[in-house]
Amino acid sequence: MLWDEKLVVANAEQKDPVNQDGRVIGSVEAIREALSYKMDEDKKVFLLGQGVDDPGGMFGVTKGFKEMYGAARVFDTPVSEEGMTGICVGAAMTGMRPVYFHNRPDFLLLTFNQLVNHASKIHWMDNGQHSVPLVIWAAIGRGWGSGPQHSQAIQGLLLGVPGLKIVMPSTPYDVKGLMISAINDNNPAIIIEHRWLMKRTGVVPTEAYEIPLGKGVYRRRGNDVTIVGASQAIDLAMTAANELEKEKNIHADVIDLRTIQPLDETIILESLKKTGRLLVVDTGWAVGGVCAEIGFIAAEKGFSFLKAPVKRLGLPACPSPAGADLEQFYYPTVASTKEAIVSLVKS
Amino acid sequence: MIRYPYDGEGIASLKLLAKKYPRTFLLDLFYKMFRIRLIEETVAARYHEDKMKTPIHLVIGQEATVVGSCALLTKDDYIYCSHRTHGAYLAKGGDLNAMIAEFYCRMTGCTASRGGSMHLMDKSVGMMGSSAIVAGAIPIATGFSLSAQMQNNHRKTVVYTGDAGVEEGVAWESMNFAAVRKLPMIYFCENNFYSVCSPLHYRQPDNIRIYKKAESFGLKSECIDGNNVLAVYEAMQRALDYVNNGSGPAFIEAITYRWRGHHGSEEDMGYRTPEELAHWKTKDPVALLQQVLIEDFSLPLSEVEELRQQITAEINKAFAFAEQSPHPTRDDLMNYVYCD
């Protein structure tokens, strides 16, 4: 096994945050079930993207689908991200439901004209006459030397764009339900996976189910501090919170937002009212993104609850480095997360 | 100085082509072009009133491209447009009241004051919308044709772009994909030589023709006199035949000229000469067809005058409708950000 795969496996071996009985499968299998269900159920759904019909099949997510559903509904694309995004927008406006896969969110930066100027606005701009039921999927890379242009978590750049939905699943259960919801949704939805979570296993029902877009969920409960985030940032939060409960008797609420747009303010404020202390965690840059927005919500709508200044744990304001030496200073760790929680509770 | 002279065959060619068609057909094309001309002239004449608070991009001088091409489309076929969208909207059968009301930014406008002049649409006739980002429409329209191919519904798509639209990379990304998938797609480039104030030769090499570039991407491609409505019509017929055979996408470059500025109602000089504009006015697509109808099809001038009066009455009604229409309110702002 290559060392990069070992890194993904090592992360997968952490326990799923939702412990319950039932069938256990991996995240990739969970996405495949969601896609198969929708491909069987709705002939308007089709899958495209560079490499969806490769032998590897987009980390295994779409492997074998071309054989199952035919080349007309599962197809490779030219290396033309902006063009293909616009083509998906047009197809979605005229009755189709494209699911467009990218290896990495970094490539979404090439598509901002279609995402921001067109896809997100068309329904509003034409007074509700067209809808754009489009799903865009990309997996954040991290580690194994991916570097500044293959490791970016750019959700913060899109957070302020009205009309988009942004989905960031953290468990196999969520991966399946949120994919089905995103395809069923009549708006452009971006699903930002995290490469490190893709070999994660967890309990996933065999039947199809939806998870509402815009509703967060408590991953653990506690009265001392509220930790809010999504995707892989929840991993660190859970590990740190569980360790601190044993080591320092600190009890944390951990809220997994599941989608950052729409953003579930209600659950954040509900928890903050109880704990009075807020730590926001995100896989992206701390400035101007998810951390900044949630921090502002606390200041604007939860100020009277606050017993301590809000803290955030995102990425520092520099590009993501390729090498492991620099990475250890770049990404938040369990230790830095615990440190942030402790200082918050003490203040 | 005339930097970009007309290089078509003028009235002689139009007269020759006209022999193939019945008078009623030619009269219908004339009516459609004449109507667009009168509507645009009225918009220009009343723009100074400052009641149409939206930028306007007039198509005066370019009526033949949209009328000749839309004449072969049904309301089930799709079109998508650039910012210079009035002509295509009207040629495809878009509602005049809703267009003028949109210029007045009223609730009865085609997009209820959300899009203004650069985002005209009338879904009921297949006029699917317009993008104000140069070439933004091109991939979206290509997506319509992918949809039509996947649904096997035989709808054709035409996207209108200008000579600057093909300077955007996404235009070629779209055409490449359409060629790979043999999509039922027609790219219609109205080459009027200027992008805002930038002349073509500052932007593209002199000896490389736009339609040749499209040809090199695997599209059936030709260049035509865009002021000759029958040349446009016939090129469109050839493109549709090709597309309908499943042979792949087609490209039409139509050479034409806009009489007014990039936006606004003025003739706009400084980057072009009065001689050049005067030269192109002698190649007026509406006047050319009128001349053919009068000289070869015994159209009396009095009938042209009747048409003018009939269209003027329609335009006056549309402006009155717009002026009497309700304004949007605060409650309208946040509707349709998301679709249920």
Side-chain angles (χ1 to χ4, degrees):
Chain A
M1 190 187 290
L2 293 170
W3 73 275
D4 55 348
E5 277 301 294
K6 283 181 189 160
L7 195 54
V8 179
V9 171
N11 276 277
E13 282 166 357
Q14 295 177 32
K15 289 283 174 259
D16 187 89
V18 183
N19 291 309
Q20 48 180 305
D21 294 331
R23 183 189 59 148
V24 174
I25 59 170
S27 268
V28 169
E29 195 52 38
I31 308 174
R32 291 174 60 81
E33 284 190 2
L35 293 172
S36 290
Y37 166 69
K38 287 309 301 177
M39 289 289 277
D40 288 334
E41 191 207 45
D42 185 353
K43 294 285 178 281
K44 302 290 172 62
V45 177
F46 67 98
L47 315 180
L48 72 163
Q50 274 164 254
V52 294
D53 58 355
D54 276 359
M58 196 60 70
F59 315 118
V61 169
T62 55
K63 193 173 177 177
F65 276 26
K66 184 178 178 181
E67 289 69 30
M68 286 157 65
Y69 296 102
R73 290 179 70 200
V74 181
F75 58 86
D76 201 357
T77 66
V79 187
S80 306
E81 288 84 357
E82 185 191 348
M84 292 312 305
T85 304
I87 286 163
C88 287
V89 170
M93 286 169 71
T94 47
M96 303 301 289
R97 290 187 176 268
V99 184
Y100 183 14
F101 289 83
H102 299 267
N103 272 285
R104 292 281 179 264
D106 310 68
F107 295 100
L108 296 182
L109 292 166
L110 290 160
T111 74
F112 267 37
N113 178 37
Q114 283 300 325
L115 280 182
V116 181
N117 276 327
H118 298 88
S120 64
K121 292 184 170 59
I122 281 172
H123 182 67
W124 185 92
M125 198 161 76
D126 69 19
N127 204 31
Q129 295 179 73
H130 285 116
S131 60
V132 184
L134 159 64
V135 175
I136 289 167
W137 184 98
I140 297 169
R142 175 176 159 180
W144 57 90
S146 298
Q149 295 174 345
H150 267 55
S151 322
Q152 294 178 90
I154 58 161
Q155 61 269 17
L157 301 182
L158 289 162
L159 185 61
V161 180
L164 294 179
K165 294 193 177 181
I166 306 172
V167 180
M168 296 188 66
S170 71
T171 70
Y173 178 90
D174 283 12
V175 152
K176 180 174 174 179
L178 290 169
M179 173 63 87
I180 292 174
S181 297
I183 297 175
N184 287 342
D185 198 275
N186 287 322
N187 298 282
I190 300 168
I191 300 179
I192 301 179
E193 288 280 349
H194 197 289
R195 190 69 185 86
W196 281 19
L197 299 177
M198 290 182 68
K199 289 198 175 173
R200 180 65 49 85
T201 56
V203 171
V204 179
T206 50
E207 68 271 19
Y209 54 92
E210 287 191 75
I211 293 174
L213 305 181
K215 291 273 182 227
V217 63
Y218 289 102
R219 295 298 184 198
R220 74 190 305 291
R221 305 298 291 258
N223 292 329
D224 298 328
V225 58
T226 300
I227 308 172
V228 179
S231 181
Q232 193 260 347
I234 292 297
D235 261 27
L236 284 185
M238 286 299 290
T239 307
N242 289 337
E243 289 184 14
L244 283 176
E245 186 160 86
K246 290 184 196 129
E247 293 165 12
K248 295 191 186 289
N249 201 30
I250 292 171
H251 303 275
D253 268 354
V254 172
I255 296 169
D256 183 347
L257 292 166
R258 288 177 157 164
T259 67
I260 57 164
Q261 179 63 270
L263 183 61
D264 187 353
E265 284 185 13
T266 309
I267 194 171
I268 297 169
L269 294 170
E270 175 187 83
S271 173
L272 188 57
K273 187 174 184 180
K274 177 181 71 178
T275 66
R277 293 179 162 88
L278 178 65
L279 171 66
V280 191
V281 293
D282 187 40
T283 54
W285 288 304
V287 173
V290 177
C291 292
E293 180 59 25
I294 295 173
F296 196 90
I297 289 168
E300 191 176 44
K301 297 178 181 171
F303 189 74
S304 61
F305 308 146
L306 290 174
K307 297 172 188 164
V310 174
K311 271 195 176 299
R312 60 179 158 179
L313 212 51
L315 301 179
C318 80
S320 46
D325 290 327
L326 290 176
E327 270 192 331
Q328 64 184 319
F329 310 121
Y330 186 66
Y331 289 105
T333 60
V334 171
S336 65
T337 309
K338 283 165 77 174
E339 195 182 326
I341 297 168
V342 169
S343 73
L344 196 52
V345 173
K346 278 186 182 164
S347 61
Chain B
M1 197 263 290
I2 298 172
R3 185 187 280 136
Y4 299 115
Y6 173 78
D7 69 350
E9 291 161 31
I11 190 78
S13 164
L14 190 64
K15 282 191 167 198
L16 199 62
L17 291 174
K19 288 186 199 305
K20 293 192 266 178
Y21 298 95
R23 184 181 190 271
T24 47
F25 172 78
L26 297 172
L27 197 56
D28 183 56
L29 291 182
F30 172 72
Y31 168 77
K32 285 172 177 160
M33 288 199 293
F34 191 39
R35 179 169 175 266
I36 293 172
R37 172 68 56 88
L38 294 178
I39 291 166
E40 291 288 76
E41 282 180 342
T42 312
V43 170
R46 296 184 63 163
Y47 198 55
H48 76 277
E49 292 172 5
D50 208 19
K51 291 179 182 170
M52 292 178 270
K53 291 184 184 294
T54 183
I56 49 166
H57 301 82
L58 299 169
V59 301
I60 296 173
Q62 302 187 190
E63 294 86 350
T65 52
V66 288
V67 168
S69 53
C70 283
L72 283 155
L73 302 176
T74 72
K75 68 178 173 51
D76 289 333
D77 295 323
Y78 300 125
I79 67 167
Y80 212 79
C81 299
S82 69
H83 56 282
R84 196 170 306 284
T85 193
H86 308 178
Y89 172 91
L90 292 166
K92 192 73 172 32
D95 184 72
L96 176 61
N97 283 357
M99 174 174 139
I100 303 299
E102 189 61 36
F103 295 171
Y104 275 79
C105 298
R106 302 301 170 96
M107 277 307 282
T108 52
C110 58
T111 63
S113 174
R114 284 153 181 253
S117 75
M118 291 190 285
H119 301 290
L120 297 183
M121 67 171 297
D122 188 338
K123 198 177 171 183
S124 69
V125 295
M127 166 49 179
M128 301 290 277
S130 326
S131 171
I133 304 296
V134 175
I138 295 177
I140 293 175
T142 306
F144 299 161
S145 67
L146 175 66
S147 201
Q149 188 186 61
M150 293 183 86
Q151 295 175 37
N152 197 25
N153 63 18
H154 306 293
R155 292 176 187 226
K156 278 80 66 182
T157 305
V158 180
V159 66
Y160 292 93
T161 184
D163 44 283
V166 296
E167 286 157 22
E168 296 282 3
V170 75
W172 302 104
E173 293 185 10
S174 304
M175 283 185 250
N176 175 61
F177 180 75
V180 168
R181 305 283 295 204
K182 295 195 184 314
L183 297 181
M185 180 71 210
I186 296 171
Y187 299 89
F188 196 108
C189 176
E190 297 175 272
N191 179 357
N192 65 15
F193 304 107
Y194 295 93
S195 171
V196 191
C197 306
S198 305
L200 186 61
H201 75 281
Y202 286 177
R203 298 178 282 114
Q204 297 180 33
D206 272 334
N207 53 346
I208 305 291
R209 302 294 301 273
I210 292 171
Y211 80 100
K212 284 287 181 190
K213 293 185 228 184
E215 194 173 84
S216 77
F217 268 67
L219 285 77
K220 175 194 137 47
S221 188
E222 63 176 307
C223 182
I224 52 162
D225 175 0
N227 281 15
N228 180 332
V229 68
L230 294 175
V232 175
Y233 181 83
E234 294 192 354
M236 190 69 179
Q237 185 64 67
R238 288 189 290 274
L240 283 168
D241 289 346
Y242 184 80
V243 162
N244 288 338
N245 282 339
S247 306
F251 187 96
I252 297 170
E253 178 185 359
I255 306 294
T256 186
Y257 199 85
R258 72 167 144 78
W259 291 9
R260 304 298 171 107
H262 161 69
H263 66 94
S265 58
E266 304 305 317
E267 290 191 334
D268 220 19
M269 288 296 146
Y271 58 91
R272 57 181 186 178
T273 60
E275 298 96 288
E276 187 174 278
L277 177 58
H279 164 72
W280 277 90
K281 282 186 174 178
T282 66
K283 314 298 173 190
D284 177 352
V286 185
L288 286 177
L289 187 57
Q290 180 178 318
Q291 189 184 339
V292 171
L293 281 163
I294 288 170
E295 291 177 5
D296 298 353
F297 292 84
S298 60
L299 177 73
L301 257 180
S302 59
E303 199 173 324
V304 176
E305 215 31 59
E306 276 169 36
L307 282 180
R308 180 193 300 278
Q309 283 169 17
Q310 178 195 328
I311 294 166
T312 303
E314 184 196 4
I315 294 170
N316 290 341
K317 272 189 196 162
F319 274 84
F321 170 81
E323 292 200 328
Q324 288 155 18
S325 288
H327 291 265
T329 65
R330 180 182 291 270
D331 292 339
D332 297 310
L333 179 66
M334 297 303 286
N335 290 334
Y336 305 122
V337 176
Y338 288 95
C339 179
D340 293 336

